[in-house]
Amino acid sequence: MPDAAQPDAAQLGAHSLLIVAWRLMWRDWRGGELRLLFLALVLAVTSVTGIALFTDRLERALMLESANMLAADRVLHTREPAPAEINAEAVRRGFRTAGTLSFTSMAFSDSGNMLVAAKAVSDAYPLRGEVITTQRPFTRGAPVAHGPPPGEAWLESRALPALGVEVGDQVFVGETELTVGAVIIAEPDRGQGGIVDNAGPRLMLHMDDVAATNVVQLGSRVSYRSLFSHDDFDQLDEFEQWVRDTFEGNYYIRDVREESEEVAEALDRAEGYLLLGSLFAVLLAGLAIALSARRYSERHYDYVAILKTLGCTSGRISAIYSLIQLKLAAAAVLLGSVLGYLVHEGILRALQASLQVDLPPPGVQPYAVGAMTAFICLLSFALPPLLALRETPPLRVLRKDLTQTRFSDRIPYAFGIGGSILLILWYSQDLVLTSLLVAGVAGTGLILSLISLVFLTSSGSAGMKAGNAWKLAMTAVRRRRRQNVLQVMVFSVTIMSLLILGLLRTDLIADWQAQLPENTPNHFMMNITGSQVDGIEAFFADNAVDSNAFYPLMSARVRTINGSEPESEGEPGENERGASLVENNQFEEAPAADAEAAPGSGESAEDEGRRVRGRLSRRQVTWATDLPVDNRVTAGEWWPENSRPGLISVDEEYADWLDIEIGDTMEFEINQQFVSAEVANFRSVRWDNMQPNFFIIFSPGTIDHLGGTFLSTVLLETEQKLLLNDLIRQFPTIVVIEVDALIEQIQNIIAQVSSAIELIFGLVLVAGALVLLACVSASLDERFHENAILRTLGAGRKLILTSLLIEFTFIGIVAGVIATLGAEGGLFYLQEWVFEQDFNLHYWVWIAGPAAGAVLIAFLGVNSTRKVVNTSPLTVLRRVV
Amino acid sequence: MIRTSGLTKRVPTSEGELTILEDVDLHIESGESVAIVGASGSGKSTLLGLMAGLDTATSGEIWLDGQKLSDMDEEQRALLRARTVGFVFQTFQLLPSLTALENVMLPIELKGDPGAGAKARELLDRVGLSDRWHHYPNQLSGGEQQRIAIARAFATRAGILFADEPTGNLDTATGGKVVDVLFNLNREFDTTLVLVTHDERLARKCGRTVKLVAGRIAGEEAAAEVAHA
Ligand SMILES: Nc1ncnc2c1ncn2[C@@H]1O[C@H](COP(=O)(O)OP(=O)(O)OP(=O)(O)O)[C@@H](O)[C@H]1O
Ligand SMILES: [Mg+2]
């Protein structure tokens, strides 16, 4: 008859199971056993949801903010009007579109004239960001969402005094007369484009007025920009692809990353860091969950055995514990989502100062990500040890030593590892990165466990004579060796994660600050003749502005290398694209490829080839006595003060590309004269610092006599910009390129990204603390019992406390050492391969790591085990029996 | 009610196989009370565990309540336990996270019977602990805990009660009280009782005594003074 009774009993049980599950849970909760597990779960959900929400919104905000730099989401830059189909297709796809046309021109008024960077804009301009205008020069402005209407010209502040006009007066551009309608204080895409957009103050006019000026004719240097905008990021990418496919690479639509290498790098690194941060947060939370679940299940072996003697089947045991977990997870997801929202809201509040854009509201996806993560964590970290409970033999009620010893013992690890891999893959969407990470972690884990095993076994004999507490501690360390190896591993992984993120954060931020420090010169002066140099220096001295070095500037062509025609190896280094402002803004006759401009923006393969040849044949070169700041000699030596002429210094990547070695002789043609020079050294050049940078520098005396012009930079605050008018009036031939707007935008983005990184780090710090706590508590039960027995045997509180202190300090130091080793290794990989930074050893960490480990673990350990000593032994023994 | 034949239990150890029980034939009638005695290590607890279906034998057969235990898997044995078996252990084995009352209610709920609360209260009353129902096991003395365990063992009106040295952890006076409670309830519910003990006096309260020596039954004797015979 048992067959008939079975389903019956199972059915009847459903309700009572729930009751039992509730009751067990409630009591475990009050006893604090479940609380740590719950806390770990909540933390996982909170950090993941918080980071996901934050990243989601920040990414959009950064995209929007950086889109402001383009006044659009995507830009097509051409030298001739772009084909109408492109615009038509964009409109068909629901894009917003606009167009601008830039050219350099003279503007006249009744009382003056000046060179202006003219820019004609269509009605819809700007698609992103706003133009800030006002009625009087150098005053605060208010944003408007459009450009000038037909018949109006808007001028940048300093153009008004230079032309002697006010708002409402007339100015002439070419053959047409325009009314000054407003003063431009800021323009979203002011930093974009080359020299045509940046030489002289801005004069903005309506597209319809361009024809009447008669300035733009066939062959004149103008630049067209077609602007596109859409709120759906995917649509943007699809459109970009469509243009590439349809026009076979002749036209190439770019986003801000492609337009500005500096922003691209900042965004890439920030995203990389956020990803790394959330990964570490999840893994640490997972670790905390695994640890607390393990402890929880260990405490429940006896429960299960008793339940089994009372007739509970394995299925029902699983059901009870799954129910408990489900309820716990549901509550954790709810609470974690709310907390995650609050955390990200708090982060944004803190960021408000530097965030100038309105953030789009968050989607639901981050919450789903948080909940999913919680369930994956639970399934892979918590459920396996709990489900293994079902294997507990009921005979355990008679024989304590019996636990399940079958395969299920290893399952939790397999699940945990599988779950982690799944999470990493899901987060990074990158199979290669995942495999690398898994291989790295597996290798590190193996080495770590070996090292910690050796550390813990060899320690025993060292301090046997050093007194009772020491002896007690060391025997404890060895007795709990396996458990301690686990503990040391958890501690070191946690400390390592924190070290990696902390050091990476410091290095990234320091690197950004070094890239564009506060006092980065923001104006370039070009076309300066030798006789003007002293005058310009005096001009700045009179006006209390610091002047910077003057770089002689000449256009040189490489004729031969060691007597033979140069041959380049493969593609030029990737820095070629961004090169320097100097290289991009060549003022002399531009290389053929550039001037004759293929219809596209010069990105087709054929074009690229032509450009490479152009690059090879024409270089802006300089000569200098001292190594430029931000440059580093990587091979050979910089020439001494009074060096002989005939030496050159070459950018290392450029040298690599041309396959040059130190000691080679290169022959150049400069201003129709041939000059030979010996390669004295290679330099690494910071191309992203927005300063004059050169591929080739001659030693003094080599090319000085060949003429050429000078280039210099100057830092002008907004209120000093009026000086430019006087400067240009005194030295009418020089050209000033204004990059202040661009630099400010980049600095802004970098500031935002830096604060984002700080906050993510803070969140991971909390996760780490929780892991440490979970790990310490995991060993608590045993210590409780042991110390109660020790105390009944007459050991004093002080002895026990000291021994605990020694034990934890020791574990902390070992963990700290391993963590430091691991962190430096991890950083080496991350900085060299992922973040493309220079890796340097962090010497202070070699002391600080182990010290921090010791202090942290000792504090946490002693603090949470103090209870062990402060509760009466009787209570402890009674509870445990 | 319970029958074993040729029951043998061997366990592998580092020094080869160890025989704990060998060829045990035992027959216990419904309503009978049997004491299993023997020296420490003679295999008493092992035999009890096997008869109760907590463990599996190496060879031999066991029938419990008309069903052949040796053919069942752990799931089926658990269901059988839920219906027919109650336990009392030397170390009480109450769930520390449940109150006295909840501990007694637990098997009723697991069995799916209604009225768990009332039944449990009544039993607590019977063992003399009705005023301690809301206390947790660690707030109770050993004797009190054992009485709760006895209440729990009778909660489902199981036909068979297994007790492994129920007084082993208690002083004589307390043990006596516990034994009284146990036998009173046993008589009242007409339960089959299998009791493992060292205690001669306790053994004599049972209808029959089985003596184990080194895993074999060395002798049986009926108690002379069984009153209701
Ligand atoms: N799983 C096992 N592995 C090894 N030895 C075992 C195992 N189970 C029982 N034994 C051994 O078998 C013998 C009998 O054990 P059992 O617990 O049945 O004795 P007992 O008669 O109940 O003793 P006590 O009166 O001390 O409770 C003991 O020597 C015990 O060590
Ligand atoms: Mg025994």
Side-chain angles (χ1 to χ4, degrees):
Chain A
M1 286 265 182
D3 289 349
Q6 227 167 293
D8 204 8
Q11 249 169 22
L12 275 171
H15 175 68
S16 53
L17 269 186
L18 255 160
I19 298 177
V20 173
W22 261 125
R23 209 171 274 153
L24 282 176
M25 188 173 155
W26 173 236
R27 177 59 184 155
D28 282 346
W29 174 259
R30 291 207 310 180
E33 282 178 34
L34 268 181
R35 238 178 284 171
L36 206 59
L37 183 57
F38 182 70
L39 212 62
L41 268 175
V42 169
L43 185 85
V45 181
T46 304
S47 54
V48 170
T49 314
I51 292 177
L53 275 169
F54 178 60
T55 326
D56 183 62
R57 292 183 75 181
L58 185 79
E59 215 162 68
R60 289 188 208 203
L62 285 176
M63 282 313 249
L64 284 179
E65 164 84 9
S66 41
N68 285 351
M69 287 180 69
L70 298 182
D73 294 318
R74 294 289 190 280
V75 167
L76 173 63
H77 185 190
T78 51
R79 297 235 182 265
E80 288 174 359
E85 306 129 80
I86 296 185
N87 217 47
E89 175 68 16
V91 171
R92 199 185 63 73
R93 287 171 181 251
F95 278 60
R96 293 186 296 131
T97 65
T100 72
L101 164 61
S102 303
F103 53 94
T104 314
S105 175
M106 291 303 282
F108 301 89
S109 70
D110 294 341
S111 51
N113 63 68
M114 87 182 303
L115 187 75
V116 293
K119 172 159 153 180
V121 301
S122 66
D123 286 328
Y125 173 89
L127 299 180
R128 295 272 182 217
E130 288 149 334
V131 185
I132 314 272
T133 63
T134 176
Q135 291 302 302
R136 292 219 325 269
F138 302 107
T139 53
R140 284 178 69 87
V144 291
H146 55 84
E152 273 190 19
W154 291 2
L155 291 167
E156 263 176 7
S157 290
R158 77 182 168 89
L160 286 97
L163 290 168
V165 293
E166 287 177 10
V167 170
D169 293 348
Q170 303 297 305
V171 291
F172 293 89
V173 180
E175 296 170 9
T176 194
E177 189 181 1
L178 299 167
T179 310
V180 177
V183 179
I184 300 176
I185 299 298
E187 168 192 331
D189 52 344
R190 181 65 169 100
Q192 294 307 303
I195 213 134
V196 210
D197 298 80
N198 294 300
R202 167 76 72 233
L203 181 149
M204 197 183 280
L205 67 163
H206 192 273
M207 200 63 108
D208 293 350
D209 292 329
V210 173
T213 63
N214 226 356
V215 172
V216 179
Q217 286 155 349
L218 208 62
S220 53
R221 278 197 87 170
V222 294
S223 90
Y224 293 87
R225 295 166 78 82
S226 309
L227 310 183
F228 305 99
S229 178
H230 200 289
D231 289 333
D232 183 349
F233 289 178
D234 295 337
Q235 282 277 342
L236 292 166
D237 292 339
E238 281 167 27
F239 180 58
E240 195 177 316
Q241 193 57 46
W242 178 84
V243 171
R244 205 174 318 175
D245 293 347
T246 314
F247 295 93
E248 288 162 344
N250 277 325
Y251 292 98
Y252 188 65
I253 292 199
R254 301 167 183 240
D255 62 15
V256 69
R257 286 178 201 240
E258 291 155 305
E259 286 286 297
S260 162
E261 188 172 341
E262 293 79 12
V263 173
E265 199 178 79
L267 289 183
D268 284 348
R269 285 178 168 183
E271 277 171 12
Y273 191 90
L274 289 182
L275 174 70
L276 205 66
S278 40
L279 258 181
F280 276 134
V282 175
L283 290 184
L284 287 181
L287 208 54
I289 291 171
L291 285 170
S292 34
R294 221 176 84 120
R295 168 164 182 249
Y296 179 78
S297 69
E298 263 163 20
R299 305 198 78 179
H300 277 250
Y301 284 142
D302 290 330
Y303 281 38
V304 172
I306 296 172
L307 286 173
K308 282 198 169 181
T309 60
L310 294 180
C312 226
T313 62
S314 302
R316 292 168 123 199
I317 302 273
S318 300
I320 289 178
Y321 283 95
S322 305
L323 271 174
I324 294 181
Q325 294 313 303
L326 267 177
K327 284 177 204 159
L328 211 60
V333 165
L334 275 179
L335 186 60
S337 299
V338 172
L339 286 178
Y341 180 83
L342 291 179
V343 162
H344 111 280
E345 198 54 46
I347 292 177
L348 291 178
R349 279 282 152 80
L351 274 184
Q352 207 115 67
S354 63
L355 278 180
Q356 284 142 347
V357 286
D358 284 334
L359 284 177
V364 284
Q365 200 206 355
Y367 297 107
V369 171
M372 271 290 281
T373 305
F375 280 101
I376 293 181
C377 277
L378 199 69
L379 282 177
S380 50
F381 295 117
L383 220 45
L386 291 173
L387 287 185
L389 277 174
R390 62 183 272 146
E391 308 282 338
T392 311
L395 198 63
R396 196 180 146 91
V397 291
L398 293 175
R399 298 186 60 87
K400 261 271 183 290
D401 58 318
L402 286 176
T403 45
Q404 90 291 6
T405 45
R406 272 171 286 171
F407 71 104
S408 43
D409 223 15
R410 303 231 149 50
I411 282 188
Y413 297 107
F415 267 94
I417 292 166
S420 313
I421 293 174
L422 194 74
L423 280 173
I424 296 171
L425 192 61
W426 183 38
Y427 271 63
S428 63
Q429 313 264 319
D430 184 341
L431 200 62
V432 179
L433 181 81
T434 310
S435 347
L436 264 173
L437 215 65
V438 169
V441 168
T444 319
L446 202 71
I447 294 169
L448 282 186
S449 54
L450 274 178
I451 294 177
S452 38
L453 197 68
V454 169
F455 259 103
L456 292 180
T457 31
S458 59
S459 65
S461 52
M464 273 313 197
K465 296 181 208 85
N468 263 334
W470 181 267
K471 208 161 136 188
L472 207 58
M474 283 306 136
T475 32
V477 165
R478 263 175 303 143
R479 187 156 21 81
R480 282 196 279 272
R481 196 167 65 218
R482 294 189 63 172
Q483 198 185 332
N484 281 339
V485 167
L486 181 78
Q487 221 167 34
V488 165
M489 275 190 62
V490 171
F491 285 145
S492 35
V493 165
T494 310
I495 299 176
M496 185 177 81
S497 310
L498 298 182
L499 277 179
I500 286 182
L501 283 180
L503 293 174
L504 197 58
R505 154 193 152 273
T506 314
D507 286 356
L508 281 178
I509 291 176
D511 202 34
W512 279 328
Q513 267 156 7
Q515 176 192 341
L516 287 179
E518 274 301 300
N519 54 2
T520 305
N522 52 9
H523 291 78
F524 278 61
M525 295 168 294
M526 301 179 83
N527 224 25
I528 302 168
T529 62
S531 56
Q532 289 173 326
V533 171
D534 289 343
I536 292 174
E537 274 183 329
F539 174 86
F540 284 130
D542 289 347
N543 290 291
V545 173
D546 293 332
S547 54
N548 295 316
F550 285 74
Y551 294 95
L553 206 58
M554 278 166 236
S555 172
R557 189 172 70 86
V558 181
R559 285 196 71 226
T560 60
I561 298 171
N562 289 336
S564 49
E565 286 272 314
E567 254 175 65
S568 64
E569 292 239 321
E571 294 290 303
E574 63 176 280
N575 280 326
E576 287 282 321
R577 205 200 79 212
S580 72
L581 276 160
V582 180
E583 291 286 344
N584 278 345
N585 291 308
Q586 302 180 357
F587 217 65
E588 90 300 359
E589 274 312 297
D594 245 287
E596 277 152 19
S601 59
E603 281 295 325
S604 68
E606 188 192 342
D607 221 31
E608 181 74 32
R610 242 185 292 172
R611 197 160 61 161
V612 167
R613 262 173 278 128
R615 282 261 154 100
L616 188 62
S617 56
R618 284 276 161 213
R619 290 261 80 125
Q620 290 291 333
V621 299
T622 190
W623 60 267
T625 313
D626 301 316
L627 180 69
V629 246
D630 273 356
N631 282 205
R632 222 161 23 84
V633 173
T634 56
E637 280 184 25
W638 188 254
W639 40 77
E641 192 83 15
N642 299 310
S643 101
R644 67 180 172 89
L647 298 178
I648 50 170
S649 167
V650 184
D651 166 57
E652 71 180 329
E653 281 185 33
Y654 184 65
D656 202 34
W657 178 53
L658 281 182
D659 205 12
I660 308 174
E661 276 164 39
I662 303 264
D664 283 358
T665 307
M666 294 178 74
E667 194 189 16
F668 300 89
E669 185 213 309
I670 300 172
N671 291 348
Q672 285 91 47
Q673 302 205 36
F674 297 155
V675 182
S676 274
E678 184 190 325
V679 177
N681 61 61
F682 296 151
R683 279 169 300 128
S684 76
V685 178
R686 250 207 108 121
W687 294 105
D688 61 0
N689 66 354
M690 308 278 302
Q691 294 306 302
N693 283 313
F694 299 92
F695 284 101
I696 297 164
I697 300 177
F698 286 78
S699 65
T702 319
I703 55 171
D704 312 21
H705 57 286
L706 296 178
T709 59
F710 287 82
L711 160 81
S712 187
T713 58
V714 66
L715 169 66
L716 292 179
E717 306 296 343
T718 321
E719 60 274 12
Q720 292 173 315
K721 288 202 71 163
L722 205 49
L723 283 178
L724 288 177
N725 286 344
D726 299 334
L727 182 73
I728 289 166
R729 201 171 304 129
Q730 272 187 41
F731 308 96
T733 52
I734 71 170
V735 173
V736 176
I737 299 172
E738 304 173 32
V739 289
D740 48 342
L742 179 63
I743 289 183
E744 206 185 309
Q745 276 172 326
I746 295 174
Q747 278 171 338
N748 252 334
I749 288 179
I750 286 176
Q752 287 171 14
V753 158
S754 304
S755 2
I757 282 178
E758 299 273 13
L759 290 155
I760 296 295
F761 178 59
L763 214 57
V764 178
L765 215 58
V766 177
L770 200 80
V771 174
L772 297 182
L773 201 67
C775 196
V776 169
S777 333
S779 69
L780 224 55
D781 302 335
E782 198 181 332
R783 281 175 219 275
F784 254 116
H785 199 191
E786 220 171 75
N787 289 309
I789 292 172
L790 276 174
R791 279 173 67 204
T792 54
L793 296 179
R797 289 175 35 132
K798 212 176 139 197
L799 176 69
I800 291 179
L801 265 183
T802 318
S803 119
L804 279 175
L805 185 69
I806 295 172
E807 187 184 346
F808 278 117
T809 309
F810 180 73
I811 291 177
I813 291 177
V814 175
V817 169
I818 296 170
T820 307
L821 289 173
E824 290 283 35
L827 277 175
F828 174 75
Y829 168 76
L830 285 171
Q831 297 197 317
E832 289 287 326
W833 301 102
V834 181
F835 289 88
E836 293 180 350
Q837 271 189 312
D838 287 333
F839 170 78
N840 292 308
L841 282 178
H842 307 80
Y843 294 107
W844 61 270
V845 176
W846 292 78
I847 311 280
V855 172
L856 199 69
I857 309 298
F859 173 77
L860 263 175
V862 172
N863 207 39
S864 53
T865 41
R866 226 197 348 234
K867 269 193 297 185
V868 173
V869 204
N870 287 341
T871 31
S872 83
L874 190 66
T875 323
V876 175
L877 288 177
R878 205 166 165 156
R879 193 179 307 161
V880 176
V881 161
Chain B
M1 196 77 200
I2 306 171
R3 196 153 67 81
T4 73
S5 83
L7 193 61
T8 301
K9 176 74 177 176
R10 295 192 185 91
V11 291
T13 66
S14 45
E15 297 99 39
E17 210 162 61
L18 174 75
T19 305
I20 305 173
L21 285 179
E22 189 148 26
D23 209 18
V24 174
D25 298 321
L26 194 61
H27 190 92
I28 298 171
E29 291 293 344
S30 181
E32 202 182 359
S33 61
V34 176
I36 299 174
V37 298
S40 180
S42 56
K44 306 183 295 290
S45 297
T46 307
L47 178 59
L48 184 94
L50 285 174
M51 289 192 296
L54 296 179
D55 197 9
T56 49
T58 311
S59 65
E61 289 170 348
I62 310 166
W63 281 266
L64 185 70
D65 197 21
Q67 293 178 41
K68 195 173 175 187
L69 265 189
S70 24
D71 286 347
M72 295 177 154
D73 62 13
E74 165 55 26
E75 297 299 291
Q76 292 164 324
R77 289 200 304 267
L79 288 169
L80 181 64
R81 279 200 298 270
R83 287 198 308 274
T84 50
V85 176
F87 288 95
V88 177
F89 301 105
Q90 181 175 6
T91 50
F92 322 139
Q93 302 288 7
L94 297 174
L95 283 185
S97 63
L98 301 183
T99 61
L101 181 68
E102 287 164 351
N103 261 295
V104 181
M105 284 165 65
L106 188 62
I108 310 178
E109 285 169 347
L110 284 175
K111 199 180 169 197
D113 286 353
K119 286 181 187 166
R121 267 169 198 279
E122 192 208 317
L123 274 164
L124 278 180
D125 200 29
R126 299 296 311 277
V127 300
L129 285 169
S130 51
D131 52 336
R132 309 296 298 272
W133 62 270
H134 59 285
H135 285 183
Y136 289 99
N138 62 12
Q139 296 169 312
L140 299 168
S141 77
E144 287 159 348
Q145 288 186 54
Q146 195 63 303
R147 281 188 280 161
I148 305 279
I150 290 169
R152 181 179 69 183
F154 284 100
T156 53
R157 307 283 191 269
I160 309 167
L161 182 66
F162 290 101
D164 191 359
E165 308 198 21
T167 58
N169 271 353
L170 305 171
D171 64 75
T172 327
T174 315
K177 207 167 163 191
V178 166
V179 166
D180 287 344
V181 168
L182 179 64
F183 278 87
N184 284 340
L185 285 173
N186 186 44
R187 205 167 302 129
E188 184 173 328
F189 294 129
D190 196 22
T191 317
T192 309
L193 177 66
V194 182
L195 190 137
V196 167
T197 183
H198 282 126
D199 187 342
E200 286 294 313
R201 283 192 305 135
L202 182 53
R204 255 179 268 127
K205 285 187 159 239
C206 298
R208 182 153 63 108
T209 301
V210 176
K211 191 174 170 73
L212 272 187
V213 174
R216 289 168 173 276
I217 293 181
E220 281 192 33
E221 57 182 81
E225 57 197 83
V226 174
H228 67 273

